Amino acid sequence: DGGITQSPKYLFRKEGQNVTLSCEQNLNHDAMYWYRQDPGQGLRLIYYSQIVNDFQKGDIAEGYSVSREKKESFPLTVTSAQKNPTAFYLCASSPTGGGSPLHFGNGTRLTVT
Amino acid sequence: SQQGEEDPQALSIQEGENATMNCSYKTSINNLQWYRQNSGRGLVHLILIRSNEREKHSGRLRVTLDTSKKSSSLLITASRAADTASYFCATDNSGNTPLVFGKGTRLSVIA
């Protein structure tokens, strides 16, 4: 079954620690995305990548970093520089960049205390 | 930047009734998409309507697009309790930039 896997589903960290969220897809999609969702809010774009070894900042990239070394994988690191990291993080992919429909993972809920 | 703005923010209806959600946006688009999100889960793509289309159907879903008013509506007919979810519109503004999502409408369908 093709899809996107985000792990873990729940993650707890102490303030000041970096944490990496995993996102893997077996859909052979070129483009991958990271969104952040806060309670009752829409999705805000953190980073996206339209091709391996290339990525662009989204609207709220500060305090986050990504890598795209393999087509299937797009991990997101939440650094200690991110002022308010507690949120629901969603990874998505699409066959090409731009406006093609997105396939989403089931998210990682990160709590930083 | 948030392009789409859904209205209402929340909607509560009885099973069997129709549910209508609206989305307004600011700039010209290539297409507009609707997604559904069950609580604590990822979003699921429902339907895509291109800027040169006015109406599209998929099962119990009907989407309209009015580019002159920069607005779209999603109609769910004969709603079921299982339709309870948040619904988001997303716009494709240029074809080479990521989709921009609105804040969503929370739909509750009461059995």
Side-chain angles (χ1 to χ4, degrees):
Chain A
D1 243 350
I4 300 184
T5 302
Q6 290 188 244
S7 61
K9 187 160 178 65
Y10 299 97
L11 195 50
F12 298 89
R13 280 293 183 271
K14 295 286 187 191
E15 207 173 296
Q17 294 179 333
N18 291 356
V19 58
T20 297
L21 282 58
S22 167
C23 178
E24 304 276 331
Q25 55 102 357
N26 60 5
L27 298 165
N28 200 33
H29 285 173
D30 284 328
M32 295 187 76
Y33 309 82
W34 275 105
Y35 288 92
R36 170 183 171 137
Q37 187 177 33
D38 293 286
Q41 298 295 308
L43 277 64
R44 292 185 289 169
L45 182 66
I46 305 172
Y47 268 99
Y48 65 102
S49 167
Q50 295 185 328
I51 198 166
V52 174
N53 290 324
D54 189 39
F55 49 82
Q56 284 77 41
K57 293 181 180 179
D59 299 318
I60 55 165
E62 187 175 344
Y64 299 98
S65 65
V66 293
S67 62
R68 187 87 188 276
E69 295 174 4
K70 298 186 298 181
K71 188 174 186 176
E72 314 81 63
S73 178
F74 192 40
L76 173 75
T77 297
V78 184
T79 75
S80 56
Q82 168 49 234
K83 300 266 187 288
N84 186 16
T86 295
F88 188 49
Y89 291 88
L90 286 160
C91 179
S93 72
S94 63
T96 59
S100 50
L102 302 182
H103 297 248
F104 280 85
N106 276 324
T108 291
R109 189 167 300 279
L110 172 66
T111 303
V112 177
T113 57
Chain B
S1 54
Q2 229 135 20
Q3 157 88 306
E5 184 118 359
E6 289 90 342
D7 166 56
Q9 289 186 353
L11 179 60
S12 185
I13 59 173
Q14 297 287 327
E15 211 167 26
E17 293 181 337
N18 294 344
T20 300
M21 287 157 269
N22 303 297
C23 170
S24 58
Y25 57 91
K26 297 188 179 103
T27 63
S28 61
I29 60 170
N30 288 332
N31 69 60
L32 185 144
Q33 303 174 31
W34 285 91
Y35 289 78
R36 165 196 170 121
Q37 183 183 32
N38 284 17
S39 182
R41 308 278 286 184
L43 279 71
V44 174
H45 179 258
L46 295 175
I47 198 163
L48 179 153
I49 187 163
R50 301 190 191 285
S51 60
N52 61 353
E53 296 175 311
R54 291 297 166 257
E55 188 169 313
K56 209 156 180 186
H57 296 253
S58 176
R60 292 184 296 113
L61 305 181
R62 174 181 165 241
V63 169
T64 61
L65 180 64
D66 186 336
T67 52
S68 66
K69 293 181 180 174
K70 291 188 171 59
S71 69
S72 173
S73 68
L74 170 68
L75 168 68
I76 303 174
T77 60
S79 64
R80 306 165 182 167
D83 293 328
T84 295
S86 291
Y87 292 82
F88 295 87
C89 68
T91 51
D92 167 28
N93 301 339
S94 77
N96 201 36
T97 55
L99 296 179
V100 180
F101 286 82
K103 293 186 179 181
T105 292
R106 284 190 318 279
L107 173 65
S108 299
V109 181
I110 301 159

